[in-house]
Amino acid sequence: MQDGRTTLSKFLIDTLDRPPCTDNTRDTAGLSALLIDVAAAIKSISAMLTKGALGGNYGSAQTLNTHGEEQKKLDVSTNDIFVQQCEWDGLLAAMVSEEMEHVYPIPPEYPRGEYLLAFDPLDGSSNIDINGVVGSIFSVLRTRDPAEDASSEAAFLRPGCEQVAAGYAVYGPSTMLVLSVGNGTHGFTLERDIGNFVLTHSNIRIPEETGEFAINASNERFWEPPVRRYVQECKDGRSGCRARDFNMRWIASMVAEVHRILMRGGVFMYPRDSKTPAMEGRLRLLYEANPMSFLVEQAGGLAITGRERILDVAPRALHGRVPVILGSKNEVERIARYHGEYDRGEDKPFSSPLFGTRSLFLPDFTA
Ligand code: F6P
Ligand code: MN
């Protein structure tokens, strides 16, 4: 290996393909080749994004995605890159994407494999117009039964704990690929001149303690009481019951927030809210919450809906949404406790006549 560095291919071959490192309890044949194809898609997207406004890729595609959101040209072209890089290799049975309404079965002209790929090709795409950080997120499952109809939604509707690999790319000042195949979370930095992903952050660990949280505070009035309680206590800082100051961040790109948390700790929340009662949360389970939760847990953090471990949630729909609270272990455990206390009615009711329901907390409530 040139100058002793570990490239993504070497890492994957060492980890997945080469005895005695192979884990006999899991059949991961072909997974390394699939992940190398995903990395190729990410390199193409990185090259396209780097061109910025000069690349002619900015602006609206004049179409809506399956969630009724306006698609940008880049949402469409990054989706096409994922599909084209991964459909031919004989490793996949089908794909699911934020940008495609239905399951995409591998076309008949290509051999069919046993893996299922779910992805969000361009996360945080509202940041594109401002040259802000965006990302791609992906999740890999293995089909349970090779004879199963992979174009059926049912093939994908499995809890996140069954993922065999998950990862994201963050397109920032440098492009990084962060992934896990179930043996820790590892970060690779793209060396642009050569085109290699080089292992730069092996075995990432999220600090258990943190003083940083991330939430879209403009939704505060729609949050549930346990989340309002937690955020209020953070904002109270040194003079409140937490007796220390907290810092807040919001980049509006889940990839960028999760990356920061993997690098230095913190909590990210897109909790259940009453803004759109029909939706359980903002983020999609299959290709946003599940892969990120896998990476966070593999790095020693926790990921919950507030009341349940995200990786145990049984998906009900391809594009189903879920509340997400993830990051440093001690803070996520605290937020889980606040949900439990609220649900059991163990938190103190707020006495203000302004509030008809039990919704806030006495200022002297101590944690
Ligand atoms: O994909 C959804 C997403 O763009 C996330 O990346 C990000 O965390 C969130 O939405 C931003 O939401 P909001 O627009 O409410 O800040
Ligand atoms: Mn997204």
Side-chain angles (χ1 to χ4, degrees), residues 206-208 210 258 261-262 265-269 296-297 299-304 324-333:
I206 300 176
E208 292 186 1
T210 183
V258 170
I261 288 170
L262 285 167
V267 180
F268 167 84
M269 288 171 276
V296 164
E297 284 201 5
L302 293 178
I304 59 169
V324 173
I325 296 168
L326 58 78
S328 291
K329 185 170 173 285
N330 293 350
E331 293 301 302
V332 178
E333 277 176 350

mmCIF file with all atom_site columns, all heavy atoms in Angstrom, residues 206-208 210 258 261-262 265-269 296-297 299-304 324-333:
data_model
loop_
_atom_site.group_PDB
_atom_site.id
_atom_site.type_symbol
_atom_site.label_atom_id
_atom_site.label_alt_id
_atom_site.label_comp_id
_atom_site.label_asym_id
_atom_site.label_entity_id
_atom_site.label_seq_id
_atom_site.pdbx_PDB_ins_code
_atom_site.Cartn_x
_atom_site.Cartn_y
_atom_site.Cartn_z
_atom_site.occupancy
_atom_site.B_iso_or_equiv
_atom_site.pdbx_formal_charge
_atom_site.auth_seq_id
_atom_site.auth_comp_id
_atom_site.auth_asym_id
_atom_site.auth_atom_id
_atom_site.pdbx_PDB_model_num
ATOM 1   N N   . ILE A 1 206 ? -18.199 8.664  19.694 1.00 0.00 ? 206 ILE A N   1
ATOM 2   C CA  . ILE A 1 206 ? -18.922 9.893  20.073 1.00 0.00 ? 206 ILE A CA  1
ATOM 3   C C   . ILE A 1 206 ? -18.755 10.086 21.578 1.00 0.00 ? 206 ILE A C   1
ATOM 4   O O   . ILE A 1 206 ? -19.116 9.186  22.354 1.00 0.00 ? 206 ILE A O   1
ATOM 5   C CB  . ILE A 1 206 ? -20.426 9.774  19.742 1.00 0.00 ? 206 ILE A CB  1
ATOM 6   C CG1 . ILE A 1 206 ? -20.628 9.548  18.246 1.00 0.00 ? 206 ILE A CG1 1
ATOM 7   C CG2 . ILE A 1 206 ? -21.185 10.997 20.220 1.00 0.00 ? 206 ILE A CG2 1
ATOM 8   C CD1 . ILE A 1 206 ? -22.082 9.328  17.846 1.00 0.00 ? 206 ILE A CD1 1
ATOM 9   N N   . PRO A 1 207 ? -18.233 11.219 22.024 1.00 0.00 ? 207 PRO A N   1
ATOM 10  C CA  . PRO A 1 207 ? -18.127 11.433 23.468 1.00 0.00 ? 207 PRO A CA  1
ATOM 11  C C   . PRO A 1 207 ? -19.497 11.286 24.143 1.00 0.00 ? 207 PRO A C   1
ATOM 12  O O   . PRO A 1 207 ? -20.504 11.731 23.607 1.00 0.00 ? 207 PRO A O   1
ATOM 13  C CB  . PRO A 1 207 ? -17.623 12.882 23.587 1.00 0.00 ? 207 PRO A CB  1
ATOM 14  C CG  . PRO A 1 207 ? -17.073 13.218 22.246 1.00 0.00 ? 207 PRO A CG  1
ATOM 15  C CD  . PRO A 1 207 ? -17.775 12.366 21.238 1.00 0.00 ? 207 PRO A CD  1
ATOM 16  N N   . GLU A 1 208 ? -19.494 10.647 25.322 1.00 0.00 ? 208 GLU A N   1
ATOM 17  C CA  . GLU A 1 208 ? -20.780 10.427 26.015 1.00 0.00 ? 208 GLU A CA  1
ATOM 18  C C   . GLU A 1 208 ? -21.351 11.720 26.574 1.00 0.00 ? 208 GLU A C   1
ATOM 19  O O   . GLU A 1 208 ? -22.551 11.880 26.704 1.00 0.00 ? 208 GLU A O   1
ATOM 20  C CB  . GLU A 1 208 ? -20.587 9.407  27.139 1.00 0.00 ? 208 GLU A CB  1
ATOM 21  C CG  . GLU A 1 208 ? -20.276 8.029  26.593 1.00 0.00 ? 208 GLU A CG  1
ATOM 22  C CD  . GLU A 1 208 ? -20.230 6.958  27.659 1.00 0.00 ? 208 GLU A CD  1
ATOM 23  O OE1 . GLU A 1 208 ? -20.463 7.267  28.848 1.00 0.00 ? 208 GLU A OE1 1
ATOM 24  O OE2 . GLU A 1 208 ? -19.945 5.798  27.287 1.00 0.00 ? 208 GLU A OE2 1
ATOM 25  N N   . THR A 1 210 ? -21.751 15.911 26.413 1.00 0.00 ? 210 THR A N   1
ATOM 26  C CA  . THR A 1 210 ? -21.688 17.000 25.439 1.00 0.00 ? 210 THR A CA  1
ATOM 27  C C   . THR A 1 210 ? -22.358 18.246 26.003 1.00 0.00 ? 210 THR A C   1
ATOM 28  O O   . THR A 1 210 ? -23.185 18.158 26.912 1.00 0.00 ? 210 THR A O   1
ATOM 29  C CB  . THR A 1 210 ? -22.379 16.606 24.119 1.00 0.00 ? 210 THR A CB  1
ATOM 30  O OG1 . THR A 1 210 ? -22.228 17.679 23.186 1.00 0.00 ? 210 THR A OG1 1
ATOM 31  C CG2 . THR A 1 210 ? -23.858 16.339 24.297 1.00 0.00 ? 210 THR A CG2 1
ATOM 32  N N   . VAL A 1 258 ? -24.917 15.235 11.788 1.00 0.00 ? 258 VAL A N   1
ATOM 33  C CA  . VAL A 1 258 ? -24.453 13.943 12.300 1.00 0.00 ? 258 VAL A CA  1
ATOM 34  C C   . VAL A 1 258 ? -22.923 13.879 12.230 1.00 0.00 ? 258 VAL A C   1
ATOM 35  O O   . VAL A 1 258 ? -22.266 13.345 13.135 1.00 0.00 ? 258 VAL A O   1
ATOM 36  C CB  . VAL A 1 258 ? -25.117 12.775 11.534 1.00 0.00 ? 258 VAL A CB  1
ATOM 37  C CG1 . VAL A 1 258 ? -24.469 11.440 11.876 1.00 0.00 ? 258 VAL A CG1 1
ATOM 38  C CG2 . VAL A 1 258 ? -26.612 12.730 11.843 1.00 0.00 ? 258 VAL A CG2 1
ATOM 39  N N   . ILE A 1 261 ? -21.513 15.609 15.129 1.00 0.00 ? 261 ILE A N   1
ATOM 40  C CA  . ILE A 1 261 ? -21.700 14.818 16.352 1.00 0.00 ? 261 ILE A CA  1
ATOM 41  C C   . ILE A 1 261 ? -20.709 13.657 16.406 1.00 0.00 ? 261 ILE A C   1
ATOM 42  O O   . ILE A 1 261 ? -20.145 13.347 17.461 1.00 0.00 ? 261 ILE A O   1
ATOM 43  C CB  . ILE A 1 261 ? -23.179 14.355 16.439 1.00 0.00 ? 261 ILE A CB  1
ATOM 44  C CG1 . ILE A 1 261 ? -24.054 15.563 16.768 1.00 0.00 ? 261 ILE A CG1 1
ATOM 45  C CG2 . ILE A 1 261 ? -23.342 13.244 17.466 1.00 0.00 ? 261 ILE A CG2 1
ATOM 46  C CD1 . ILE A 1 261 ? -25.542 15.329 16.655 1.00 0.00 ? 261 ILE A CD1 1
ATOM 47  N N   . LEU A 1 262 ? -20.449 13.032 15.258 1.00 0.00 ? 262 LEU A N   1
ATOM 48  C CA  . LEU A 1 262 ? -19.448 11.948 15.251 1.00 0.00 ? 262 LEU A CA  1
ATOM 49  C C   . LEU A 1 262 ? -18.051 12.487 15.553 1.00 0.00 ? 262 LEU A C   1
ATOM 50  O O   . LEU A 1 262 ? -17.222 11.803 16.156 1.00 0.00 ? 262 LEU A O   1
ATOM 51  C CB  . LEU A 1 262 ? -19.452 11.229 13.899 1.00 0.00 ? 262 LEU A CB  1
ATOM 52  C CG  . LEU A 1 262 ? -20.635 10.278 13.668 1.00 0.00 ? 262 LEU A CG  1
ATOM 53  C CD1 . LEU A 1 262 ? -20.725 9.876  12.206 1.00 0.00 ? 262 LEU A CD1 1
ATOM 54  C CD2 . LEU A 1 262 ? -20.515 9.026  14.531 1.00 0.00 ? 262 LEU A CD2 1
ATOM 55  N N   . GLY A 1 265 ? -19.182 15.117 19.342 1.00 0.00 ? 265 GLY A N   1
ATOM 56  C CA  . GLY A 1 265 ? -20.301 14.917 20.251 1.00 0.00 ? 265 GLY A CA  1
ATOM 57  C C   . GLY A 1 265 ? -21.402 15.932 20.028 1.00 0.00 ? 265 GLY A C   1
ATOM 58  O O   . GLY A 1 265 ? -21.258 16.877 19.256 1.00 0.00 ? 265 GLY A O   1
ATOM 59  N N   . GLY A 1 266 ? -22.530 15.703 20.718 1.00 0.00 ? 266 GLY A N   1
ATOM 60  C CA  . GLY A 1 266 ? -23.676 16.591 20.586 1.00 0.00 ? 266 GLY A CA  1
ATOM 61  C C   . GLY A 1 266 ? -24.957 15.784 20.445 1.00 0.00 ? 266 GLY A C   1
ATOM 62  O O   . GLY A 1 266 ? -24.936 14.558 20.418 1.00 0.00 ? 266 GLY A O   1
ATOM 63  N N   . VAL A 1 267 ? -26.060 16.506 20.383 1.00 0.00 ? 267 VAL A N   1
ATOM 64  C CA  . VAL A 1 267 ? -27.361 15.873 20.186 1.00 0.00 ? 267 VAL A CA  1
ATOM 65  C C   . VAL A 1 267 ? -28.029 16.531 18.999 1.00 0.00 ? 267 VAL A C   1
ATOM 66  O O   . VAL A 1 267 ? -28.010 17.758 18.869 1.00 0.00 ? 267 VAL A O   1
ATOM 67  C CB  . VAL A 1 267 ? -28.279 16.060 21.423 1.00 0.00 ? 267 VAL A CB  1
ATOM 68  C CG1 . VAL A 1 267 ? -29.621 15.387 21.185 1.00 0.00 ? 267 VAL A CG1 1
ATOM 69  C CG2 . VAL A 1 267 ? -27.644 15.488 22.658 1.00 0.00 ? 267 VAL A CG2 1
ATOM 70  N N   . PHE A 1 268 ? -28.633 15.711 18.127 1.00 0.00 ? 268 PHE A N   1
ATOM 71  C CA  . PHE A 1 268 ? -29.414 16.203 16.989 1.00 0.00 ? 268 PHE A CA  1
ATOM 72  C C   . PHE A 1 268 ? -30.847 15.754 17.193 1.00 0.00 ? 268 PHE A C   1
ATOM 73  O O   . PHE A 1 268 ? -31.092 14.593 17.520 1.00 0.00 ? 268 PHE A O   1
ATOM 74  C CB  . PHE A 1 268 ? -28.862 15.614 15.692 1.00 0.00 ? 268 PHE A CB  1
ATOM 75  C CG  . PHE A 1 268 ? -29.773 15.811 14.499 1.00 0.00 ? 268 PHE A CG  1
ATOM 76  C CD1 . PHE A 1 268 ? -29.734 16.996 13.778 1.00 0.00 ? 268 PHE A CD1 1
ATOM 77  C CD2 . PHE A 1 268 ? -30.663 14.821 14.107 1.00 0.00 ? 268 PHE A CD2 1
ATOM 78  C CE1 . PHE A 1 268 ? -30.583 17.181 12.683 1.00 0.00 ? 268 PHE A CE1 1
ATOM 79  C CE2 . PHE A 1 268 ? -31.515 15.002 13.021 1.00 0.00 ? 268 PHE A CE2 1
ATOM 80  C CZ  . PHE A 1 268 ? -31.466 16.179 12.304 1.00 0.00 ? 268 PHE A CZ  1
ATOM 81  N N   . MET A 1 269 ? -31.763 16.692 17.024 1.00 0.00 ? 269 MET A N   1
ATOM 82  C CA  . MET A 1 269 ? -33.177 16.343 17.192 1.00 0.00 ? 269 MET A CA  1
ATOM 83  C C   . MET A 1 269 ? -34.015 16.857 16.037 1.00 0.00 ? 269 MET A C   1
ATOM 84  O O   . MET A 1 269 ? -33.957 18.045 15.713 1.00 0.00 ? 269 MET A O   1
ATOM 85  C CB  . MET A 1 269 ? -33.729 16.979 18.483 1.00 0.00 ? 269 MET A CB  1
ATOM 86  C CG  . MET A 1 269 ? -33.226 16.344 19.750 1.00 0.00 ? 269 MET A CG  1
ATOM 87  S SD  . MET A 1 269 ? -33.703 17.297 21.214 1.00 0.00 ? 269 MET A SD  1
ATOM 88  C CE  . MET A 1 269 ? -32.405 18.522 21.256 1.00 0.00 ? 269 MET A CE  1
ATOM 89  N N   . VAL A 1 296 ? -24.321 5.967  14.285 1.00 0.00 ? 296 VAL A N   1
ATOM 90  C CA  . VAL A 1 296 ? -24.215 6.569  15.618 1.00 0.00 ? 296 VAL A CA  1
ATOM 91  C C   . VAL A 1 296 ? -24.052 5.483  16.679 1.00 0.00 ? 296 VAL A C   1
ATOM 92  O O   . VAL A 1 296 ? -23.189 5.576  17.564 1.00 0.00 ? 296 VAL A O   1
ATOM 93  C CB  . VAL A 1 296 ? -25.457 7.469  15.887 1.00 0.00 ? 296 VAL A CB  1
ATOM 94  C CG1 . VAL A 1 296 ? -25.605 7.788  17.359 1.00 0.00 ? 296 VAL A CG1 1
ATOM 95  C CG2 . VAL A 1 296 ? -25.360 8.750  15.072 1.00 0.00 ? 296 VAL A CG2 1
ATOM 96  N N   . GLU A 1 297 ? -24.842 4.432  16.583 1.00 0.00 ? 297 GLU A N   1
ATOM 97  C CA  . GLU A 1 297 ? -24.709 3.337  17.572 1.00 0.00 ? 297 GLU A CA  1
ATOM 98  C C   . GLU A 1 297 ? -23.347 2.667  17.442 1.00 0.00 ? 297 GLU A C   1
ATOM 99  O O   . GLU A 1 297 ? -22.721 2.316  18.454 1.00 0.00 ? 297 GLU A O   1
ATOM 100 C CB  . GLU A 1 297 ? -25.826 2.307  17.384 1.00 0.00 ? 297 GLU A CB  1
ATOM 101 C CG  . GLU A 1 297 ? -27.155 2.775  17.930 1.00 0.00 ? 297 GLU A CG  1
ATOM 102 C CD  . GLU A 1 297 ? -28.110 1.614  18.207 1.00 0.00 ? 297 GLU A CD  1
ATOM 103 O OE1 . GLU A 1 297 ? -27.697 0.438  18.063 1.00 0.00 ? 297 GLU A OE1 1
ATOM 104 O OE2 . GLU A 1 297 ? -29.267 1.892  18.565 1.00 0.00 ? 297 GLU A OE2 1
ATOM 105 N N   . ALA A 1 299 ? -20.732 3.996  16.793 1.00 0.00 ? 299 ALA A N   1
ATOM 106 C CA  . ALA A 1 299 ? -19.730 4.913  17.350 1.00 0.00 ? 299 ALA A CA  1
ATOM 107 C C   . ALA A 1 299 ? -19.981 5.173  18.835 1.00 0.00 ? 299 ALA A C   1
ATOM 108 O O   . ALA A 1 299 ? -19.423 6.103  19.412 1.00 0.00 ? 299 ALA A O   1
ATOM 109 C CB  . ALA A 1 299 ? -19.749 6.231  16.573 1.00 0.00 ? 299 ALA A CB  1
ATOM 110 N N   . GLY A 1 300 ? -20.852 4.369  19.460 1.00 0.00 ? 300 GLY A N   1
ATOM 111 C CA  . GLY A 1 300 ? -21.051 4.490  20.902 1.00 0.00 ? 300 GLY A CA  1
ATOM 112 C C   . GLY A 1 300 ? -22.137 5.466  21.313 1.00 0.00 ? 300 GLY A C   1
ATOM 113 O O   . GLY A 1 300 ? -22.324 5.716  22.503 1.00 0.00 ? 300 GLY A O   1
ATOM 114 N N   . GLY A 1 301 ? -22.856 6.026  20.342 1.00 0.00 ? 301 GLY A N   1
ATOM 115 C CA  . GLY A 1 301 ? -23.959 6.930  20.670 1.00 0.00 ? 301 GLY A CA  1
ATOM 116 C C   . GLY A 1 301 ? -25.288 6.194  20.682 1.00 0.00 ? 301 GLY A C   1
ATOM 117 O O   . GLY A 1 301 ? -25.342 4.971  20.551 1.00 0.00 ? 301 GLY A O   1
ATOM 118 N N   . LEU A 1 302 ? -26.359 6.951  20.845 1.00 0.00 ? 302 LEU A N   1
ATOM 119 C CA  . LEU A 1 302 ? -27.704 6.372  20.861 1.00 0.00 ? 302 LEU A CA  1
ATOM 120 C C   . LEU A 1 302 ? -28.587 7.116  19.861 1.00 0.00 ? 302 LEU A C   1
ATOM 121 O O   . LEU A 1 302 ? -28.354 8.301  19.573 1.00 0.00 ? 302 LEU A O   1
ATOM 122 C CB  . LEU A 1 302 ? -28.332 6.493  22.253 1.00 0.00 ? 302 LEU A CB  1
ATOM 123 C CG  . LEU A 1 302 ? -27.700 5.672  23.377 1.00 0.00 ? 302 LEU A CG  1
ATOM 124 C CD1 . LEU A 1 302 ? -28.414 5.954  24.688 1.00 0.00 ? 302 LEU A CD1 1
ATOM 125 C CD2 . LEU A 1 302 ? -27.731 4.178  23.053 1.00 0.00 ? 302 LEU A CD2 1
ATOM 126 N N   . ALA A 1 303 ? -29.619 6.414  19.370 1.00 0.00 ? 303 ALA A N   1
ATOM 127 C CA  . ALA A 1 303 ? -30.555 7.028  18.422 1.00 0.00 ? 303 ALA A CA  1
ATOM 128 C C   . ALA A 1 303 ? -31.953 6.511  18.753 1.00 0.00 ? 303 ALA A C   1
ATOM 129 O O   . ALA A 1 303 ? -32.199 5.304  18.701 1.00 0.00 ? 303 ALA A O   1
ATOM 130 C CB  . ALA A 1 303 ? -30.178 6.664  16.990 1.00 0.00 ? 303 ALA A CB  1
ATOM 131 N N   . ILE A 1 304 ? -32.852 7.432  19.097 1.00 0.00 ? 304 ILE A N   1
ATOM 132 C CA  . ILE A 1 304 ? -34.207 7.039  19.517 1.00 0.00 ? 304 ILE A CA  1
ATOM 133 C C   . ILE A 1 304 ? -35.252 7.927  18.839 1.00 0.00 ? 304 ILE A C   1
ATOM 134 O O   . ILE A 1 304 ? -34.936 8.989  18.305 1.00 0.00 ? 304 ILE A O   1
ATOM 135 C CB  . ILE A 1 304 ? -34.376 7.170  21.054 1.00 0.00 ? 304 ILE A CB  1
ATOM 136 C CG1 . ILE A 1 304 ? -34.111 8.616  21.497 1.00 0.00 ? 304 ILE A CG1 1
ATOM 137 C CG2 . ILE A 1 304 ? -33.454 6.214  21.786 1.00 0.00 ? 304 ILE A CG2 1
ATOM 138 C CD1 . ILE A 1 304 ? -34.510 8.916  22.939 1.00 0.00 ? 304 ILE A CD1 1
ATOM 139 N N   . VAL A 1 324 ? -36.579 11.755 15.217 1.00 0.00 ? 324 VAL A N   1
ATOM 140 C CA  . VAL A 1 324 ? -35.168 11.372 15.390 1.00 0.00 ? 324 VAL A CA  1
ATOM 141 C C   . VAL A 1 324 ? -34.524 12.193 16.508 1.00 0.00 ? 324 VAL A C   1
ATOM 142 O O   . VAL A 1 324 ? -34.582 13.430 16.494 1.00 0.00 ? 324 VAL A O   1
ATOM 143 C CB  . VAL A 1 324 ? -34.371 11.602 14.081 1.00 0.00 ? 324 VAL A CB  1
ATOM 144 C CG1 . VAL A 1 324 ? -32.881 11.365 14.308 1.00 0.00 ? 324 VAL A CG1 1
ATOM 145 C CG2 . VAL A 1 324 ? -34.877 10.684 12.965 1.00 0.00 ? 324 VAL A CG2 1
ATOM 146 N N   . ILE A 1 325 ? -33.943 11.482 17.463 1.00 0.00 ? 325 ILE A N   1
ATOM 147 C CA  . ILE A 1 325 ? -33.140 12.129 18.514 1.00 0.00 ? 325 ILE A CA  1
ATOM 148 C C   . ILE A 1 325 ? -31.889 11.268 18.642 1.00 0.00 ? 325 ILE A C   1
ATOM 149 O O   . ILE A 1 325 ? -31.977 10.083 18.994 1.00 0.00 ? 325 ILE A O   1
ATOM 150 C CB  . ILE A 1 325 ? -33.920 12.176 19.846 1.00 0.00 ? 325 ILE A CB  1
ATOM 151 C CG1 . ILE A 1 325 ? -35.178 13.048 19.685 1.00 0.00 ? 325 ILE A CG1 1
ATOM 152 C CG2 . ILE A 1 325 ? -33.022 12.704 20.978 1.00 0.00 ? 325 ILE A CG2 1
ATOM 153 C CD1 . ILE A 1 325 ? -36.171 12.936 20.819 1.00 0.00 ? 325 ILE A CD1 1
ATOM 154 N N   . LEU A 1 326 ? -30.734 11.811 18.317 1.00 0.00 ? 326 LEU A N   1
ATOM 155 C CA  . LEU A 1 326 ? -29.538 10.961 18.320 1.00 0.00 ? 326 LEU A CA  1
ATOM 156 C C   . LEU A 1 326 ? -28.306 11.733 18.766 1.00 0.00 ? 326 LEU A C   1
ATOM 157 O O   . LEU A 1 326 ? -28.274 12.965 18.734 1.00 0.00 ? 326 LEU A O   1
ATOM 158 C CB  . LEU A 1 326 ? -29.313 10.346 16.929 1.00 0.00 ? 326 LEU A CB  1
ATOM 159 C CG  . LEU A 1 326 ? -29.156 11.261 15.711 1.00 0.00 ? 326 LEU A CG  1
ATOM 160 C CD1 . LEU A 1 326 ? -27.772 11.893 15.624 1.00 0.00 ? 326 LEU A CD1 1
ATOM 161 C CD2 . LEU A 1 326 ? -29.404 10.466 14.437 1.00 0.00 ? 326 LEU A CD2 1
ATOM 162 N N   . GLY A 1 327 ? -27.299 10.971 19.188 1.00 0.00 ? 327 GLY A N   1
ATOM 163 C CA  . GLY A 1 327 ? -26.021 11.588 19.534 1.00 0.00 ? 327 GLY A CA  1
ATOM 164 C C   . GLY A 1 327 ? -25.434 11.047 20.817 1.00 0.00 ? 327 GLY A C   1
ATOM 165 O O   . GLY A 1 327 ? -25.552 9.843  21.121 1.00 0.00 ? 327 GLY A O   1
ATOM 166 N N   . SER A 1 328 ? -24.828 11.940 21.582 1.00 0.00 ? 328 SER A N   1
ATOM 167 C CA  . SER A 1 328 ? -24.092 11.557 22.785 1.00 0.00 ? 328 SER A CA  1
ATOM 168 C C   . SER A 1 328 ? -24.989 10.803 23.762 1.00 0.00 ? 328 SER A C   1
ATOM 169 O O   . SER A 1 328 ? -26.110 11.237 24.075 1.00 0.00 ? 328 SER A O   1
ATOM 170 C CB  . SER A 1 328 ? -23.525 12.805 23.467 1.00 0.00 ? 328 SER A CB  1
ATOM 171 O OG  . SER A 1 328 ? -22.503 13.352 22.662 1.00 0.00 ? 328 SER A OG  1
ATOM 172 N N   . LYS A 1 329 ? -24.452 9.700  24.260 1.00 0.00 ? 329 LYS A N   1
ATOM 173 C CA  . LYS A 1 329 ? -25.242 8.737  25.038 1.00 0.00 ? 329 LYS A CA  1
ATOM 174 C C   . LYS A 1 329 ? -25.960 9.375  26.236 1.00 0.00 ? 329 LYS A C   1
ATOM 175 O O   . LYS A 1 329 ? -27.159 9.191  26.422 1.00 0.00 ? 329 LYS A O   1
ATOM 176 C CB  . LYS A 1 329 ? -24.285 7.630  25.503 1.00 0.00 ? 329 LYS A CB  1
ATOM 177 C CG  . LYS A 1 329 ? -24.911 6.490  26.215 1.00 0.00 ? 329 LYS A CG  1
ATOM 178 C CD  . LYS A 1 329 ? -23.883 5.369  26.379 1.00 0.00 ? 329 LYS A CD  1
ATOM 179 C CE  . LYS A 1 329 ? -24.389 4.251  27.239 1.00 0.00 ? 329 LYS A CE  1
ATOM 180 N NZ  . LYS A 1 329 ? -24.415 4.591  28.667 1.00 0.00 ? 329 LYS A NZ  1
ATOM 181 N N   . ASN A 1 330 ? -25.247 10.132 27.040 1.00 0.00 ? 330 ASN A N   1
ATOM 182 C CA  . ASN A 1 330 ? -25.855 10.618 28.282 1.00 0.00 ? 330 ASN A CA  1
ATOM 183 C C   . ASN A 1 330 ? -27.024 11.566 28.024 1.00 0.00 ? 330 ASN A C   1
ATOM 184 O O   . ASN A 1 330 ? -28.031 11.529 28.734 1.00 0.00 ? 330 ASN A O   1
ATOM 185 C CB  . ASN A 1 330 ? -24.796 11.307 29.163 1.00 0.00 ? 330 ASN A CB  1
ATOM 186 C CG  . ASN A 1 330 ? -23.768 10.317 29.669 1.00 0.00 ? 330 ASN A CG  1
ATOM 187 O OD1 . ASN A 1 330 ? -23.938 9.109  29.517 1.00 0.00 ? 330 ASN A OD1 1
ATOM 188 N ND2 . ASN A 1 330 ? -22.675 10.816 30.250 1.00 0.00 ? 330 ASN A ND2 1
ATOM 189 N N   . GLU A 1 331 ? -26.875 12.411 27.004 1.00 0.00 ? 331 GLU A N   1
ATOM 190 C CA  . GLU A 1 331 ? -27.968 13.361 26.718 1.00 0.00 ? 331 GLU A CA  1
ATOM 191 C C   . GLU A 1 331 ? -29.165 12.635 26.101 1.00 0.00 ? 331 GLU A C   1
ATOM 192 O O   . GLU A 1 331 ? -30.315 12.937 26.424 1.00 0.00 ? 331 GLU A O   1
ATOM 193 C CB  . GLU A 1 331 ? -27.480 14.474 25.786 1.00 0.00 ? 331 GLU A CB  1
ATOM 194 C CG  . GLU A 1 331 ? -26.442 15.391 26.405 1.00 0.00 ? 331 GLU A CG  1
ATOM 195 C CD  . GLU A 1 331 ? -26.942 16.091 27.669 1.00 0.00 ? 331 GLU A CD  1
ATOM 196 O OE1 . GLU A 1 331 ? -27.956 16.799 27.608 1.00 0.00 ? 331 GLU A OE1 1
ATOM 197 O OE2 . GLU A 1 331 ? -26.305 15.915 28.731 1.00 0.00 ? 331 GLU A OE2 1
ATOM 198 N N   . VAL A 1 332 ? -28.917 11.678 25.201 1.00 0.00 ? 332 VAL A N   1
ATOM 199 C CA  . VAL A 1 332 ? -30.042 10.957 24.582 1.00 0.00 ? 332 VAL A CA  1
ATOM 200 C C   . VAL A 1 332 ? -30.780 10.140 25.644 1.00 0.00 ? 332 VAL A C   1
ATOM 201 O O   . VAL A 1 332 ? -32.016 10.076 25.663 1.00 0.00 ? 332 VAL A O   1
ATOM 202 C CB  . VAL A 1 332 ? -29.568 10.082 23.399 1.00 0.00 ? 332 VAL A CB  1
ATOM 203 C CG1 . VAL A 1 332 ? -30.728 9.301  22.800 1.00 0.00 ? 332 VAL A CG1 1
ATOM 204 C CG2 . VAL A 1 332 ? -28.932 10.958 22.319 1.00 0.00 ? 332 VAL A CG2 1
ATOM 205 N N   . GLU A 1 333 ? -30.027 9.558  26.576 1.00 0.00 ? 333 GLU A N   1
ATOM 206 C CA  . GLU A 1 333 ? -30.685 8.819  27.679 1.00 0.00 ? 333 GLU A CA  1
ATOM 207 C C   . GLU A 1 333 ? -31.561 9.758  28.505 1.00 0.00 ? 333 GLU A C   1
ATOM 208 O O   . GLU A 1 333 ? -32.653 9.416  28.937 1.00 0.00 ? 333 GLU A O   1
ATOM 209 C CB  . GLU A 1 333 ? -29.626 8.167  28.581 1.00 0.00 ? 333 GLU A CB  1
ATOM 210 C CG  . GLU A 1 333 ? -29.150 6.840  28.005 1.00 0.00 ? 333 GLU A CG  1
ATOM 211 C CD  . GLU A 1 333 ? -28.030 6.205  28.803 1.00 0.00 ? 333 GLU A CD  1
ATOM 212 O OE1 . GLU A 1 333 ? -27.471 6.871  29.709 1.00 0.00 ? 333 GLU A OE1 1
ATOM 213 O OE2 . GLU A 1 333 ? -27.696 5.047  28.487 1.00 0.00 ? 333 GLU A OE2 1
#
